[in-house]
Amino acid sequence: MIAHWPQDTPGLLRLPSGLTVRGRALSKPVPDGPVPTLGVYGLGREPAATAWPQRWVRWPDFGLPRDRDAFRAALEEALVEARTGRVEFGCGGGRGRTGTALACLAVLDGVPAGEAVAYVRQHYSRHAVETPWQRGFVKRF
């Protein structure tokens, strides 16, 4: 079964390949509509349980992922799942860690690393990727 996000989904990011993923602030209620088939959450503490499968990336606010190999594995899993399912990325505010993860996902999808932050800011949120070290992380990804 193929289950994609509706085109009017808030926080939707279309990747160059045509795959779509959703970014959101976990501090806000789950939006109405279809639920994810996979969530990837960057938080300093384990996220609350969800009715859908999730991957937790230990990631302090305004910082970087603690385990970069686990982070990359979560992104690769998300790209596979996005082919047939609905993947969402989230953090507390839905900007810094979420934007950084989305920019790294865009790199895996073919956006040059030096352009990925601008891509996510244009197509997801102009506030995405909040800190200089997050921008540098994306450039080196």
Side-chain angles (χ1 to χ4, degrees):
M1 177 179 93
I2 295 180
H4 293 292
W5 292 113
Q7 292 304 309
D8 62 347
T9 299
L12 196 66
L13 172 68
R14 179 174 297 282
L15 295 166
S17 65
L19 297 175
T20 57
V21 296
R22 174 172 82 182
R24 76 174 182 94
L26 298 176
S27 60
K28 297 183 179 174
V30 176
D32 291 336
V35 298
T37 57
L38 175 66
V40 179
Y41 305 124
L43 295 168
R45 57 172 169 62
E46 191 167 0
T50 57
W52 52 88
Q54 61 171 274
R55 301 297 169 262
W56 172 39
V57 176
R58 187 181 298 269
W59 193 336
D61 202 6
F62 299 106
L64 299 174
R66 292 290 190 217
D67 183 336
R68 294 175 188 195
D69 292 334
F71 172 63
R72 180 178 281 273
L75 292 178
E76 290 170 353
E77 181 181 359
L79 273 178
V80 170
E81 179 63 24
R83 292 180 190 143
T84 57
R86 292 181 298 272
V87 177
E88 85 169 359
F89 286 82
C91 67
R95 294 179 174 186
R97 293 168 286 183
T98 297
T100 302
L102 293 175
C104 291
L105 188 72
V107 170
L108 291 180
D109 198 59
V111 175
E115 299 172 19
V117 171
Y119 182 87
V120 170
R121 286 180 174 169
Q122 179 182 358
H123 299 286
Y124 168 66
S125 168
R126 64 187 176 111
H127 302 289
V129 192
E130 294 176 314
T131 68
W133 41 93
Q134 289 171 343
R135 287 191 298 274
F137 180 78
V138 173
K139 281 187 176 182
R140 293 184 306 277
F141 187 76

